[in-house]
Amino acid sequence: MFTTRTDYLDTLLAYICEELQLSEAAHAAAEHRYHAVGDWLNAPGSTLAAWRPTIYPQGSFRIGTCGRPLTGAEFDLDLVCELDLGIKQVSPLVLLNMVEHRLRQHSVYNGMIERKKRCIRLTYANEFHLDVLPARPTWPPDGTQVLIPDRELEAWLRSNPKGYAAWFCGRTELYFAELRKRAVEPLPDHETAKEKTPLQRGVLLLKRWRDVDYQKNCDAAPRSIVATTLAGNFYRGTLSTGETFGDIVRSIATATAQNGNPLRVVNPAQPNEVLSEQWERLPETYRLFRARIAALNATWTTIQETGTIEDVAAALGVLFGDPVTQRAFKRFTKEQVETQRKSGTLGVARATGALAIASLPRTAPIRSNTFYGEE
């Protein structure tokens, strides 16, 4: 039951996030292909076997923030193929070629390969991309730090995919720490592994806003890992999804407004790895982001002050896409409005007749009923 604007906004955002999640079928297909590629790279007797390949996911799949792409787009699944080369001196291009060679030995994968700057991409048409990132441990070993090859620079770059995932999970732990501090039991819809914490939902929403807002200028859009890192840095353990998203957006807008130079975003687990290199290389993309995040912050402030459910849904549709928001709103009205009506907490705005929270100013409560149709 919701009685405040925060309550119903959180409920509607939860429905939107559910719409943004990959379907179970898409997730299962991705998981099956991830294991198939991993087994091929790691098979006994393969050309990579001597280097004891370790296969693990990285990015949004690993941290639970992978969302449905916009219509017609394909989502990404990132896989690390870490080879234990020890002290062996191997050039970055050789490592890329070693992994590519093994993939080309597969009759199906051979026709799906695309060389990228730091990985080998397998494209499953109209489904998703599986990016295989070769890596080697640092020498001497340094925790979960790895070296990854850069094809253009022909150089090794330090990275830490496992460390980044551990950092992000640590940021989501702020949510549970706040619950324990308040002596509040975890909410039922967060008890299963499939459900998201407010930070994970905030990242889903931020990335979806980016996809919608940059539809006509995709090349200028900030990378997912930049949005995720900014969200993690600015998350403070808020329990509400709406407040979490608002805090993140407001903090990013403030940070970018105060800094004339491009904001530098680094991997918290490997500070030497600059994630926002695009902004430094192309300053105009940073200026565009600064303007758009400021506009998002202004829009979100308006949404938080809007009284009617329909007005909120319309505004959210602009930010996150009408089809997704409309489906979420239909579920919201079907599953929640009648409960509110029966409890006496649903009302109508006197000026417009739109649905609103009964306790808000200039709102009249709707009398409950327990019958449907005429008798």
Side-chain angles (χ1 to χ4, degrees):
M1 180 183 298
F2 51 83
T3 58
T4 67
R5 181 182 292 108
T6 297
D7 290 339
Y8 83 74
L9 181 55
D10 277 358
T11 302
L12 188 50
L13 289 175
Y15 287 137
I16 291 175
C17 286
E18 287 181 21
E19 291 291 335
L20 292 179
Q21 291 185 84
L22 291 180
S23 68
E24 290 188 13
H27 190 280
E31 185 174 24
H32 172 74
R33 285 166 178 158
Y34 162 79
H35 285 291
V37 173
D39 290 344
W40 178 252
L41 293 171
N42 197 30
S46 82
T47 54
L48 300 178
W51 315 117
R52 298 182 294 279
T54 301
I55 312 299
Y56 53 90
Q58 70 156 344
S60 58
F61 254 84
R62 188 178 184 112
I63 64 176
T65 60
C66 186
R68 293 176 187 263
L70 293 175
T71 303
E74 299 171 345
F75 65 89
D76 293 329
L77 171 57
D78 298 315
L79 173 160
V80 178
C81 177
E82 185 176 327
L83 302 182
D84 185 7
L85 299 178
I87 61 173
K88 185 176 178 65
Q89 296 298 312
V90 174
S91 76
L93 294 184
V94 166
L95 183 61
L96 280 162
N97 290 338
M98 287 168 60
V99 175
E100 181 181 340
H101 174 70
R102 175 55 182 167
L103 290 171
R104 288 195 181 279
Q105 290 179 321
H106 194 285
S107 60
V108 176
Y109 302 153
N110 182 49
M112 302 164 58
I113 289 174
E114 179 185 358
R115 290 183 176 184
K116 306 299 286 185
K117 183 179 178 181
R118 296 173 186 171
C119 67
I120 299 99
R121 171 169 291 179
L122 298 179
T123 300
Y124 296 84
N126 301 318
E127 293 186 72
F128 62 92
H129 303 129
L130 196 157
D131 289 341
V132 180
L133 175 69
R136 63 176 299 176
T138 57
W139 189 265
D142 183 13
T144 55
Q145 301 280 340
V146 295
L147 297 175
I148 61 174
D150 187 292
R151 195 183 301 275
E152 295 178 2
L153 298 176
E154 296 188 17
W156 293 107
L157 303 177
R158 291 180 72 94
S159 188
N160 195 346
K162 289 184 177 179
Y164 183 89
W167 166 80
F168 186 83
C169 290
R171 299 301 294 170
T172 63
E173 177 61 26
L174 291 173
Y175 164 73
F176 299 104
E178 187 66 22
L179 285 180
R180 289 191 293 270
K181 185 170 67 176
R182 299 187 184 191
V184 178
E185 291 294 324
L187 299 175
D189 65 346
H190 288 296
E191 290 179 344
T192 68
K194 291 183 179 180
E195 296 300 327
K196 311 298 182 186
T197 63
L199 175 55
Q200 289 171 308
R201 288 177 173 177
V203 170
L204 275 174
L205 294 168
L206 188 62
K207 293 199 298 184
R208 183 65 175 200
W209 163 78
R210 174 206 60 187
D211 292 346
V212 171
D213 203 58
Y214 282 83
Q215 278 187 85
K216 297 181 180 179
N217 198 3
C218 297
D219 292 341
R223 297 168 60 197
S224 291
I225 195 170
V226 170
T228 302
T229 305
L230 287 171
N233 281 335
F234 290 122
Y235 179 58
R236 55 186 179 86
T238 312
L239 304 183
S240 157
T241 300
E243 290 180 1
T244 293
F245 184 73
D247 284 347
I248 290 170
V249 170
R250 182 169 52 255
S251 297
I252 297 174
T254 299
T256 54
Q258 293 175 344
N259 195 337
N261 297 319
L263 193 65
R264 174 167 277 209
V265 183
V266 301
N267 182 343
Q270 174 46 265
N272 291 328
E273 182 181 6
V274 179
L275 305 177
S276 57
E277 57 182 348
Q278 173 198 38
W279 290 343
E280 298 181 4
R281 189 177 71 255
L282 301 169
E284 64 273 17
T285 63
Y286 178 71
R287 292 192 291 270
L288 179 62
F289 175 74
R290 183 171 58 189
R292 293 191 172 183
I293 202 71
L296 173 61
N297 184 42
T299 299
W300 194 256
T301 299
T302 300
I303 287 174
Q304 290 180 308
E305 296 173 352
T306 298
T308 68
I309 297 172
E310 284 84 354
D311 286 347
V312 169
L316 294 179
V318 173
L319 295 183
F320 306 124
D322 275 332
V324 163
T325 305
Q326 286 301 317
R327 289 196 299 270
F329 185 59
K330 286 180 181 178
R331 288 188 57 199
F332 175 88
T333 54
K334 180 179 179 181
E335 299 178 16
Q336 297 292 329
V337 169
E338 189 57 33
T339 299
Q340 296 295 109
R341 184 197 304 272
K342 291 178 180 179
S343 68
T345 56
L346 185 69
V348 293
R350 289 191 174 95
T352 64
L355 293 174
I357 299 301
S359 58
L360 295 176
R362 297 182 297 280
T363 301
I366 296 176
R367 275 188 264 175
S368 63
N369 65 59
T370 56
F371 60 87
Y372 299 89
E374 297 293 330
E375 293 186 349

